[in-house]
């Protein structure tokens, strides 16, 4: 099932100006409008949130806007610059999916089919997109749906920052949308409004032929595209220095063995091009154009830059099962969409020194199957608080030699959040005689502790007096647990005196 993401940037021209104009950036504490000439009049073409809150709107005569808001900051509109910056933004967004395109004048469109699992799922991916744009000073709303038309409408006509629509395209979802959600020319929308058409459902309930005769074929085409009945292709953005190779077949191919053979040939050709530029690939995209003009993509990522043709081909061939060739594939294009400098180096000689084990191939295959965010390792962090003393890093991140202190043993499994338990213990320094966790009561046979952990007062003032007393306990079944009491057992200012389970020993 196809999944398409639409990213809407409601303040794109003004957000771009504030981010990228250097010394010309207007003061952020004053409302900003962009002005352009429409005929002989100067009009407001775009504005920021502060100006919108003062009652200004696009299409307003500039002189009227200046009269309403004295001291208004005015900048010249630059539609060409906005479009070029939007194209660059589309190239940046290729990290989310192989197929990304600008959606002028204020958005991006992303074919996320088969790519959402690499980012933790659809909900997580949308939230990450919005977060990254917000960090760059750009307001964004994102929606994902089964068709480009529905995603485009949901992103622009919903107040929520992220919207996730069902996999199935339903006419009921389309009926509720306003006519303007169909990506029609403004004159068509105004003409339909003049006839009393407000919602898409109003158009669906009328014969199509008279409307098409009056307003042209775009009305019916946009409805069919939103319902998934007509093609709505996305032409992906391409970086200017893209390293790629392609094959066009005289006869369409469809057999898995044939596809694999051409994958290996494309990988070998791409490696030669990368070697000529002293580059290694970190992200590889394969584009498959079928005879029905539909586009399928395969993306593989690498933990380290590489130009090993056999390795690249193996990663691509592992994904053949996800390809639906339909009536045949006409064009195959392989592109290195993320590269890094990779100079040639001397191979290690087994007569002089040992060869270090290389697990990067295994990491790449796991990441491509279950998602890069799920393949990681733990690294120590300088903190006495157990849940703060560990961090997730890339599976192949360099080892800086840091480790955890070995004075006190730590459990092999640390719970993400300590869970409350019921206990019976003699305060202030004795371990519990028993504890109950998740409805199961366990008698404590042996215990060691307490190990006192103090709060990090330099991070939070509330932790200045807090302490935890940790115990390692073993129940009568031989299982070992890591539990603690919040507080010193006497003073309530040091903690609630409640007991928690924080870890399980192997």
């Amino acid at each position: 099932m196809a999944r398409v993401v639409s990213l809407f940037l409601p303040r794109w021209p003004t957000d771009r100006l504030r981010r990228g104009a250097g010394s010309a950036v207007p003061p952020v504490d004053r409302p900003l409008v962009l002005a352009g000439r429409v005929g002989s009049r100067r009009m407001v073409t775009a504005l920021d949130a502060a100006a919108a809150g003062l009652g200004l709107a696009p299409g307003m005569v500039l002189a009227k806007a200046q009269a309403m808001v004295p001291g208004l900051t005015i900048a010249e509109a630059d539609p060409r610059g906005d479009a070029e910056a939007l194209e660059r933004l589309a190239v940046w967004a290729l990290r989310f999916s192989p197929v990304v395109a600008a959606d002028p004048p204020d958005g991006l469109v992303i074919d996320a089919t088969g790519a959402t699992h690499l980012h933790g799922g659809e909900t997580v991916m949308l939230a990450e997109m919005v977060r990254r744009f917000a960090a760059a000073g750009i307001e964004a709303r994102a929606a994902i749906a089964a068709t480009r038309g529905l995603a485009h409408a949901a992103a622009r006509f919903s107040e929520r920052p992220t919207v996730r629509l069902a996999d199935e395209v339903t006419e009921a979802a389309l009926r509720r949308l306003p006519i303007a959600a169909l990506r029609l020319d403004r004159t068509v929308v105004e003409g339909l409004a003049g006839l009393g058409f407000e919602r898409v459902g109003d158009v669906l309930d009328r014969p199509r032929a008279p409307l098409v005769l009056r307003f042209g074929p775009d009305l019916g085409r946009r409805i069919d595209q939103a319902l998934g009945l007509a093609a709505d292709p996305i032409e992906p953005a391409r970086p200017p220095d893209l390293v790629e190779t392609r094959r066009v077949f005289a006869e369409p191919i469809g057999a898995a063995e044939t596809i694999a053979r051409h994958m290996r040939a494309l990988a070998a050709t791409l490696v030669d091009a990368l070697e000529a530029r002293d580059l290694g690939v970190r992200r590889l995209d394969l584009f498959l154009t079928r005879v029905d003009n539909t586009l399928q993509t395969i993306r593989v990522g690498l933990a380290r830059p590489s130009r090993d043709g056999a390795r690249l081909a193996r990663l691509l061939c592992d994904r053949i099962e996800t390809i639906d060739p339909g009536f045949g594939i006409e064009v195959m294009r392989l592109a290195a969409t993320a590269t890094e400098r990779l100079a040639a180096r001397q191979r290690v000689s087994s007569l002089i020194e040992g060869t270090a084990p290389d697990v990067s191939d295994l990491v790449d295959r796991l990441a491509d199957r279950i998602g890069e965010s799920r393949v990681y390792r733990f690294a120590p962090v300088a903190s006495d608080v157990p849940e703060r003393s560990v961090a997730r890093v890339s599976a192949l991140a360099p080892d800086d030699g840091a480790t955890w202190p070995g004075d006190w043993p730590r459990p092999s499994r640390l719970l993400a959040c300590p869970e409350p338990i019921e206990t019976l213990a003699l305060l202030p320094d004795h371990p519990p005689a028993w504890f109950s966790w998740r409805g199961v009561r366990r008698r404590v046979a042996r215990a060691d502790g307490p190990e006192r952990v103090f709060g990090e007062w330099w991070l939070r003032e509330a932790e200045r007096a807090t302490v935890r007393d940790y115990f390692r306990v073993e129940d009568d079944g031989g299982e070992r647990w890591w539990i603690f009491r919040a507080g010193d057992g006497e003073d309530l200012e040091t903690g609630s005196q409640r007991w928690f389970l924080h870890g399980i020993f192997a």
Side-chain angles (χ1 to χ4, degrees), residues 132-144:
R132 288 201 177 209
F133 277 92
I138 301 174
E139 181 184 350
R141 296 204 296 265
I144 186 167

Side-chain angles (χ1 to χ4, degrees), residues 341-405:
R341 184 65 56 183
L342 182 63
R345 60 187 180 90
Q346 179 68 39
R347 286 183 176 272
V348 174
S349 171
S350 59
L351 298 178
I352 302 174
E353 53 185 319
T355 303
D358 185 8
V359 297
S360 58
D361 191 19
L362 174 62
V363 170
D364 292 338
R365 299 182 77 172
L366 290 175
D368 287 328
R369 285 187 174 272
I370 65 176
E372 185 178 352
S373 61
R374 297 185 180 182
V375 182
Y376 55 87
R377 66 179 180 86
F378 291 115
V381 177
S383 176
D384 289 332
V385 181
E387 59 266 34
R388 299 176 190 165
S389 65
V390 62
R392 293 183 181 184
V393 297
S394 170
L396 297 180
D399 188 359
D400 59 3
T403 185
W404 289 276

